[in-house]
Amino acid sequence: MSLPPNFLDELRARTPLAPLIARKVRLARSGRDQKGCCPFHNEKSPSFYVYDDHYHCFGCGAHGDAISFVMQNDGAGFMEAVERLAAEAGMQVPKPTPQAAEAERREADLSEVLAAAAAEYRRLLRLPQGASALAYLRGRGLSDATIEQFGLGWSGEGRGVITEALGRQGITPGRMIEAGLLKATERGPVDYFFARVMFPIRDRRGRIISFGGRVLGDGQPKYLNGPETDLFSKRQTLYGIDLARSAVRSGATLIVVEGYMDVIALHQAGFSGAVAPLGTALTEQHLAELWRISPRPLLCFDGDAAGRRAALRSTELAIRALAPDRGLAVLALPDRDDPDSLIRREGAQAFKARIETVPHLAQTLFDMLADGADRATPEGRAAFRKRLEAVARSIEDKSLAGEYRAAMIDRLYAERRQGFQKAGPGKSSRQKSPHVSLPRPAIDTETTVGRRARLLTAILLCYPSMLPDLEEAFGLLTLPDDCARLRDSMSEWFHGAEALDSADLLNHLTSSGLRDVADRVISLFPQHTPETDPAAMAELEASWYGIYGLMNLGWLREQCAEQSRRWQEEPEPEVWNRLVSLTRALKRAERGEADSDAVF
């Protein structure tokens, strides 16, 4: 059975590769990617690398995507692997119907029509009639290599140009209408684009799915995107996504700007992770696509009032879905600047410096919400505080929501303290506080995840009797370097220990030169659970899994389902107790309880 390419693309996009492979392979962070020992051949040194959309073993040459991994690792056929992954992703595998085959044929046909149109537009740009369009592009600072890279072209001056050109290739007006090149009118089909510089729009695979056009002169609309078709949806498409995906894998920053020219200018200046929505505000579909590529995309909209409003709207849309491994950043530009004009005025190095020093989203969000807010009166400050708290509460991950709330409220209090200090003698009866501010560490994914990882490690250092049940789960986590070194030494001790005693484990860590590291990690966890109390230990195990679930919710759900199946087969007390423990942990993780609540 032949499956539609768009279905397979969506399935791969909805299947994060690293968590899938981590079920079978112990992975460790290696720069932006992850690595481990290859599951397809015996090796002692890891040469198996996992990227955002594929894996590769530099030892045996194994290579593929999520579907390939299930096939190679589990011995599954193609359709079996697709059905398994689709079930996990909540997708229905298209049935082999005549309608599905026809839809696939139509998409392939539309792609051929659009590719032919792109070639014609490029040809016209280099003819005398395209001289004004070529001069416009060069006047915007684009090199011939950049113009070629992005496939820019010229539609021709009047209507009928593309109809005549493609007609000579046997492409009918009906097919051109379906592709979005013509539109039907009472006078018959007419060109959708004319007298415009043409920008091919590609999907993530690099396939042309539509065009955008910029009028020369004062015509309106200045920019025009093709109509919705079977291939093209503005709410789901980002301009430049095909080039940005590979660039981000190589270390580029994923930058979201407002338009075609900003994307192209950034790429030419060396910022090849730039993308843009197409004449619409960022949507949830856009954000999902961005997070598939990078855990922290950077919004860089124009510096005018409209750009600031767009940045705030996009941030408020994104904030609900923020998580320790899914963030956002916003780079505010000077008034009346866009990325293109800023780079031309200041240069690429200055723009790079701005990216590298972009503040955390909690700080940026405070500034956005403060813009225009009344903070001079008690009523205004109370209203502003309520707005800060409401925005923080909208974050579904409650642990992260608490961190954002604390960061923004701390800054609000700091401003009030500074206000009192500036009032001076006789202007305020309040005494100057000896503490100028309440410093707080930056809120970012590494801080949040690192704290949880160290807490999980601390519990196992204090209660190594839990290792038989928790070692596998613990081994699947990507840990900070100190915890990773402790885990390796703990595993070595565990497999040779006669008794699972904390004092013996600490002696082993002392001899390994890791005692100071262990003591720092243990200090995070105040021990007060006696190992002789089974109920207390069961509660501690549930707490451990609760924190673990905040870092790997999918795995915890799988364990609950597996233990439930096991209970049906083995209705034994220990199976039931473990099921209760896992279920309690899952509920805690899904509610996103604060770490302190989850443990204590």
Side-chain angles (χ1 to χ4, degrees), residues 105 167 552 582:
R105 186 201 64 76
N552 195 341
L582 286 167

Side-chain angles (χ1 to χ4, degrees), residues 67-89:
I67 299 171
S68 305
F69 183 80
V70 174
M71 293 173 66
Q72 292 178 336
N73 190 75
D74 299 347
F78 174 76
M79 281 307 302
E80 181 186 356
V82 167
E83 288 168 356
R84 282 195 211 171
L85 294 175
E88 292 186 11

Side-chain angles (χ1 to χ4, degrees), residues 237-239 254-263 266 273-284 286-287 290 297-318 328-343 345 351 354-355 358 361 364 368:
T237 306
L238 291 162
Y239 182 69
L254 181 60
I255 308 173
V256 186
V257 293
E258 290 194 39
Y260 308 110
M261 288 304 301
D262 289 324
V263 170
L266 283 175
V275 298
L278 293 158
T280 183
L282 276 183
T283 65
E284 291 183 352
H286 289 146
L287 287 167
L290 292 169
L298 174 69
L299 303 186
C300 182
F301 294 158
D302 294 355
D304 56 13
R308 290 193 294 272
R309 287 194 299 270
L312 179 57
R313 284 196 304 271
S314 299
T315 303
E316 290 180 328
L317 177 65
L328 193 71
V330 179
L331 175 58
L333 298 186
D335 288 346
R336 296 180 296 280
D337 257 322
D338 57 36
D340 182 15
S341 66
L342 187 66
I343 287 177
R345 191 179 77 249
F351 189 75
R354 288 178 180 269
I355 291 175
V358 66
L361 184 60
T364 306
M368 288 176 168

